[in-house]
Short mmCIF file of all heavy atoms in Angstrom, two decimals:
data_model
loop_
_atom_site.label_atom_id
_atom_site.label_comp_id
_atom_site.label_asym_id
_atom_site.label_seq_id
_atom_site.Cartn_x
_atom_site.Cartn_y
_atom_site.Cartn_z
N CYS K 13 134.19 104.81 29.05
CA CYS K 13 134.96 103.89 29.96
C CYS K 13 134.40 102.51 30.07
O CYS K 13 133.19 102.35 29.82
CB CYS K 13 134.97 104.61 31.37
SG CYS K 13 133.35 104.98 32.03
N ASP K 14 135.30 101.60 30.28
CA ASP K 14 134.88 100.20 30.36
C ASP K 14 134.58 99.92 31.84
O ASP K 14 135.41 99.67 32.70
CB ASP K 14 136.10 99.33 30.00
CG ASP K 14 135.71 97.81 29.97
OD1 ASP K 14 134.56 97.52 30.08
OD2 ASP K 14 136.59 97.03 29.72
N ALA K 15 133.28 100.02 32.10
CA ALA K 15 132.78 99.95 33.54
C ALA K 15 131.55 99.08 33.71
O ALA K 15 130.76 99.06 32.70
CB ALA K 15 132.57 101.33 34.18
N ASP K 16 131.41 98.41 34.69
CA ASP K 16 130.24 97.63 34.94
C ASP K 16 129.01 98.56 35.04
O ASP K 16 129.03 99.58 35.84
CB ASP K 16 130.37 96.93 36.24
CG ASP K 16 129.20 96.00 36.68
OD1 ASP K 16 128.14 96.14 36.00
OD2 ASP K 16 129.36 95.13 37.52
N PRO K 17 127.99 98.32 34.21
CA PRO K 17 126.78 99.23 34.35
C PRO K 17 126.19 99.30 35.64
O PRO K 17 125.46 100.35 35.94
CB PRO K 17 125.83 98.67 33.19
CG PRO K 17 126.80 97.84 32.35
CD PRO K 17 127.91 97.33 33.19
N GLY K 18 126.36 98.44 36.43
CA GLY K 18 125.78 98.34 37.80
C GLY K 18 126.66 99.01 38.84
O GLY K 18 126.17 99.23 40.01
N GLN K 19 127.87 99.42 38.48
CA GLN K 19 128.68 100.21 39.40
C GLN K 19 128.24 101.55 39.69
O GLN K 19 127.60 102.13 38.88
CB GLN K 19 130.12 100.24 38.76
CG GLN K 19 131.23 100.66 39.78
CD GLN K 19 132.56 100.57 39.08
OE1 GLN K 19 132.72 100.43 37.89
NE2 GLN K 19 133.61 100.78 39.91
N ARG K 20 128.53 102.04 40.88
CA ARG K 20 128.06 103.33 41.27
C ARG K 20 128.81 104.35 40.34
O ARG K 20 129.96 104.28 40.11
CB ARG K 20 128.50 103.71 42.77
CG ARG K 20 127.92 102.71 43.79
CD ARG K 20 128.41 103.13 45.09
NE ARG K 20 128.04 102.07 46.15
CZ ARG K 20 126.89 102.10 46.85
NH1 ARG K 20 125.97 103.01 46.54
NH2 ARG K 20 126.74 101.13 47.75
N LEU K 21 127.97 105.33 39.97
CA LEU K 21 128.48 106.39 39.13
C LEU K 21 129.67 107.12 39.86
O LEU K 21 130.56 107.56 39.23
CB LEU K 21 127.38 107.40 38.71
CG LEU K 21 127.88 108.56 37.86
CD1 LEU K 21 128.42 108.08 36.56
CD2 LEU K 21 126.69 109.52 37.54
N SER K 22 129.44 107.23 41.15
CA SER K 22 130.55 107.96 41.95
C SER K 22 131.88 107.20 41.83
O SER K 22 132.88 107.92 41.58
CB SER K 22 130.13 108.11 43.45
OG SER K 22 129.81 106.78 43.95
N GLU K 23 131.85 105.95 41.75
CA GLU K 23 133.03 105.13 41.67
C GLU K 23 133.64 105.26 40.25
O GLU K 23 134.88 105.26 39.96
CB GLU K 23 132.80 103.76 42.06
CG GLU K 23 132.90 103.48 43.54
CD GLU K 23 134.21 103.94 44.20
OE1 GLU K 23 135.21 103.33 43.93
OE2 GLU K 23 134.18 104.93 44.94
N VAL K 24 132.75 105.18 39.11
CA VAL K 24 133.14 105.43 37.85
C VAL K 24 133.87 106.82 37.65
O VAL K 24 134.90 106.82 37.01
CB VAL K 24 131.95 105.22 36.86
CG1 VAL K 24 132.35 105.65 35.43
CG2 VAL K 24 131.54 103.77 36.95
N LEU K 25 133.23 107.84 38.21
CA LEU K 25 133.89 109.09 38.07
C LEU K 25 135.23 109.19 38.74
O LEU K 25 136.16 109.79 38.20
CB LEU K 25 132.90 110.20 38.59
CG LEU K 25 131.60 110.49 37.96
CD1 LEU K 25 130.79 111.48 38.70
CD2 LEU K 25 131.83 110.80 36.51
N ARG K 26 135.31 108.61 39.91
CA ARG K 26 136.54 108.65 40.58
C ARG K 26 137.55 107.73 40.02
O ARG K 26 138.77 108.20 39.87
CB ARG K 26 136.31 108.30 42.08
CG ARG K 26 135.46 109.32 42.89
CD ARG K 26 135.14 108.76 44.30
NE ARG K 26 136.31 108.57 45.06
CZ ARG K 26 137.07 109.39 45.71
NH1 ARG K 26 136.76 110.63 45.69
NH2 ARG K 26 138.16 108.99 46.37
N ARG K 27 137.26 106.46 39.79
CA ARG K 27 138.33 105.56 39.43
C ARG K 27 138.64 105.42 37.97
O ARG K 27 139.77 105.30 37.52
CB ARG K 27 137.87 104.16 39.88
CG ARG K 27 137.98 104.02 41.39
CD ARG K 27 137.22 102.78 41.96
NE ARG K 27 137.81 101.50 41.43
CZ ARG K 27 137.34 100.28 41.62
NH1 ARG K 27 136.27 100.20 42.50
NH2 ARG K 27 137.85 99.22 41.11
N HIS K 28 137.57 105.61 37.09
CA HIS K 28 137.79 105.51 35.67
C HIS K 28 138.01 106.82 35.01
O HIS K 28 138.80 106.96 34.00
CB HIS K 28 136.54 104.81 35.00
CG HIS K 28 136.30 103.48 35.32
ND1 HIS K 28 136.85 102.35 34.72
CD2 HIS K 28 135.64 102.92 36.40
CE1 HIS K 28 136.49 101.28 35.26
NE2 HIS K 28 135.71 101.51 36.35
#
Side-chain angles (χ1 to χ4, degrees):
C13 55
D14 185 8
D16 182 342
Q19 192 174 12
R20 300 177 191 275
L21 178 61
S22 55
E23 282 301 295
V24 170
L25 295 177
R26 290 175 58 81
R27 290 168 58 181
H28 294 273

